[in-house]
Amino acid sequence: GLQTAKATSDCPHQFGYFRLGDNKNCGQFMNCVDGRGYVFDCPEGLAFNQDSYRCDWPDQVESCDAEAFLGFTCPEAPAVFGDDYRFYRHPQNCQKYFICVNGRPRLYGCGDGYAFNEDFGGCDGIENVTACAHQAGGAAPIPGRG
């Protein structure tokens, strides 16, 4: 027959995935196995979706406040036909950027050695992004280059 849910100090049920945190901290979840809870982090910028049991864009997770979670609110921008996506550099980290999809933010990263170039709205070699110069390791430019 069906087993009754036995809650433990870690887990509401013996088995399953459960969201941790509140609507501002949506990126962690717990996997319960035999009533023992194992805490996992979603990849940076993603929120745990308790409906699909997956890490998802925070704007797709009803219980997550994407703006509070990511620390970024998309600027009001006039709608341009066919232009639902807008790109913005991360205010603290030049290697990351936000894409605003229908006015809601999603966090993306450019990866090692790359940074977000506002001139064309995409990732570029970190040495080409002036806003990133102080983050590129602080080394002096190589003579005869740049």
Side-chain angles (χ1 to χ4, degrees), residues 2 23 55 77 84 138:
L2 286 171
N23 66 344
C55 293
D84 291 335

Side-chain angles (χ1 to χ4, degrees), residues 83-114:
D83 179 18
D84 291 335
Y85 296 83
R86 291 178 183 281
F87 296 74
Y88 299 94
R89 188 167 64 85
H90 190 294
Q92 281 84 47
N93 187 331
C94 62
Q95 293 187 270
K96 297 181 181 154
Y97 60 100
F98 294 97
I99 296 184
C100 290
V101 181
N102 301 318
R104 309 290 310 282
R106 294 180 180 185
L107 178 65
Y108 285 77
C110 286
D112 281 349
Y114 293 90

Side-chain angles (χ1 to χ4, degrees), residues 120-134:
F120 62 86
C123 293
D124 196 358
I126 197 166
E127 67 281 359
N128 300 329
V129 181
T130 45
C132 224
H134 66 286

